């Protein structure tokens, strides 16, 4: 049974050979380069070292709360020296993939009903998330009604949520519920999402990511999106259709295609075994886990001793 090998256990010649074989380093962000708002002291020197030796640096985050535009500003401010084409997020991936999917479905409907003169509803997407996700959706979806933030401050009332659902579902064709990280999550949104998935068969359930936990400064760990996914699945009796962020390989596949690189040329560096490392293993890339975020030495030992968690081994 193979186990995780520490980089410190490699000989100088092994390290040199490994380093030469890697052209691209894909970094998770929170928990790897910084925690909360605090940049780790090794982050900038590490990235400068890699670039000095001709390595490509990619930033890949499951955090959809901010857009790539804001990530760019944030990384520049922190001294991470990002390239405009080096930033990928679960929010941008979800927006791009869902927009393409809805366009295909719309074209199919138009072909099926090309002789139908009945008025057609505008497609709509219920997004449960924050401004960053909405910005990415607006960049990709020009003919789709995007809604959800108007529910941020609504108190839950059974009759009111039924009234609003009837109003929206009558006026629009609700095609998807897209779930991201949402600090304004409330019972009204839960009920509307469940109604959409229960009452509209063609409505699909998508999520930007499914992190169970997220790091939050000074070693703190907080809930991620996964607990909300479970609540919607239980209430709607519908399973999640698509996950766009890690551990899905959607983004890493996009990176390889856009930069013309192969899996064996990539090193993924992350702090979560269930997302970062699992994505790397599913893609066939090299991977390294750091212990500055969610993963701990104890958890790593558990994974190394379990045949059922081979996919989570770096």
């Amino acid at each position: 049974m193979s186990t995780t090998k520490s980089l410190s256990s490699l000989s100088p010649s092994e390290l040199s050979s490994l380093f030469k074989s890697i052209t691209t380093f894909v970094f998770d962000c929170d928990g790897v380069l910084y925690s909360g708002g605090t940049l780790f002291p090794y982050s900038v020197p590490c990235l400068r070292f890699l670039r000095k030796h001709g390595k490509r640096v990619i930033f890949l985050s499951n955090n959809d709360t901010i857009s790539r535009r804001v990530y760019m500003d944030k990384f520049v401010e922190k001294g991470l020296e990002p390239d405009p084409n080096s930033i990928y997020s679960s929010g941008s991936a979800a927006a791009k993939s869902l927009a393409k999917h809805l366009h295909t479905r719309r074209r199919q409907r138009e072909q099926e009903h090309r002789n139908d003169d009945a008025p057609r509803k505008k497609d709509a997407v219920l997004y449960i998330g924050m401004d960053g996700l909405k910005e990415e959706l607006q960049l990709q979806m020009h003919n789709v009604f995007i809604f959800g933030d108007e529910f941020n401050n609504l108190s839950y009332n059974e009759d009111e949520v039924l009234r609003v659902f009837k109003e929206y579902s009558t006026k629009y064709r609700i095609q998807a519920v897209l779930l991201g990280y949402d600090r304004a999550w409330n019972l009204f949104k839960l009920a509307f999402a469940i109604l959409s998935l229960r009452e509209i068969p063609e409505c699909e359930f998508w999520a930007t990511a499914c992190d169970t936990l997220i790091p939050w400064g000074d070693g703190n760990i907080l809930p991620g999106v996964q607990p909300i996914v479970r609540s919607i699945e239980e209430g709607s009796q519908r399973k999640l259709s698509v996950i766009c962020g890690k551990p899905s390989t959607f983004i890493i596949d996009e990176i390889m295609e856009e930069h013309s690189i192969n899996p064996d040329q990539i090193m993924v560096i992350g702090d979560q075994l269930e997302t970062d490392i699992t994505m790397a293993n599913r893609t066939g890339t090299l991977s390294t886990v750091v212990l500055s975020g969610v993963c701990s030495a104890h958890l790593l030992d558990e994974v190394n001793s379990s045949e059922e968690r081979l996919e989570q081994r770096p």
Side-chain angles (χ1 to χ4, degrees):
M1 181 173 67
S2 62
T3 58
T4 299
K5 191 171 186 179
S6 171
L7 290 176
S8 62
S9 69
L10 299 179
S11 68
S13 62
E14 287 175 322
L15 274 174
S16 177
S17 177
L18 175 64
F19 188 70
K20 288 178 181 178
S21 71
I22 301 168
T23 66
T24 304
F25 287 79
V26 177
F27 285 86
D28 176 49
C29 300
D30 206 349
V32 176
L33 298 172
Y34 51 81
S35 181
T38 305
L39 187 71
F40 294 135
Y42 56 74
S43 298
V44 171
C46 174
L47 299 183
R48 287 178 177 169
F49 174 84
L50 294 176
R51 293 186 178 112
K52 179 181 177 181
H53 288 81
K55 305 301 182 181
R56 179 187 291 111
V57 172
I58 299 289
F59 304 97
L60 171 51
S61 176
N62 261 8
N63 181 354
D64 59 70
T65 64
I66 57 179
S67 65
R68 286 170 295 170
R69 175 186 60 81
V70 177
Y71 266 122
M72 184 72 183
D73 293 342
K74 178 179 180 180
F75 289 171
V76 168
E77 182 181 345
K78 289 182 178 294
L80 299 178
E81 302 172 1
D83 179 273
N85 297 318
S86 67
I87 300 172
Y88 295 80
S89 75
S90 60
S92 63
K96 183 176 181 179
S97 181
L98 183 55
K100 183 178 180 180
H101 179 64
L102 295 186
H103 177 74
T104 300
R105 292 180 69 177
R106 186 163 57 250
R107 291 293 298 272
Q108 290 173 343
R109 289 199 309 271
E110 289 171 353
Q111 286 296 317
E112 293 170 0
H113 302 284
R114 58 183 177 272
N115 297 320
D116 187 352
D117 294 330
R120 295 169 184 171
K121 296 180 183 179
K122 187 174 185 177
D123 284 349
V125 170
L126 166 63
Y127 90 96
I128 299 173
M130 299 175 65
D131 289 345
L133 180 57
K134 184 176 183 179
E135 181 177 332
E136 295 291 355
L137 288 169
Q138 290 174 330
L139 286 172
Q140 298 291 337
M141 299 183 182
H142 305 295
N143 297 306
V144 177
F145 177 60
I146 301 163
F147 71 101
D149 52 354
E150 59 264 54
F151 302 156
N152 284 354
N153 300 311
L154 293 185
S155 299
Y156 182 67
N157 176 279
E158 292 84 353
D159 292 331
E160 180 65 8
V161 75
L162 288 169
R163 184 194 68 77
V164 175
F165 173 72
K166 182 178 180 180
E167 175 188 337
Y168 278 61
S169 58
T170 300
K171 187 175 181 180
Y172 301 104
R173 185 188 296 270
I174 303 176
Q175 293 285 285
V177 173
L178 174 60
L179 176 64
Y181 187 81
D182 188 10
R183 295 191 181 100
W185 170 247
N186 58 38
L187 196 54
F188 194 100
K189 293 181 181 182
L190 173 63
F192 200 105
I194 289 173
L195 284 168
S196 298
L197 294 167
R198 288 185 72 100
E199 302 297 327
I200 306 172
E202 66 181 351
C203 183
E204 298 180 354
F205 185 20
W206 288 47
T208 58
C210 266
D211 301 58
T212 302
L213 301 169
I214 57 172
W216 195 263
D218 298 326
N220 296 309
I221 302 297
L222 292 172
V225 173
Q226 181 68 1
I228 301 178
V229 169
R230 294 296 187 207
S231 65
I232 295 176
E233 285 183 330
E234 287 292 323
S236 66
Q237 293 299 293
R238 296 271 300 277
K239 291 296 184 181
L240 192 62
S241 304
V242 179
I243 305 172
C244 294
K246 301 171 286 187
S248 165
T249 64
F250 177 85
I251 308 179
I252 196 77
D253 290 340
E254 183 180 7
I255 290 170
M256 290 190 291
E257 180 179 352
E258 290 185 357
H259 297 278
S260 300
I261 47 180
N262 299 319
D264 58 4
Q265 297 174 292
I266 299 173
M267 172 71 81
V268 172
I269 302 172
D271 69 309
Q272 296 214 43
L273 302 176
E274 293 180 349
T275 55
D276 305 312
I277 305 307
T278 298
M279 177 198 69
N281 286 331
R282 289 177 180 177
T283 313
T285 71
L286 297 166
S287 64
T288 297
V289 67
V290 297
L291 306 182
S292 49
V294 171
C295 187
S296 64
H298 175 70
L299 179 58
L300 196 54
D301 288 340
E302 285 185 354
V303 168
N304 279 332
S305 63
S306 171
E307 287 284 1
E308 297 177 356
R309 300 178 71 177
L310 292 174
E311 199 175 42
Q312 297 180 16
R313 290 184 189 171

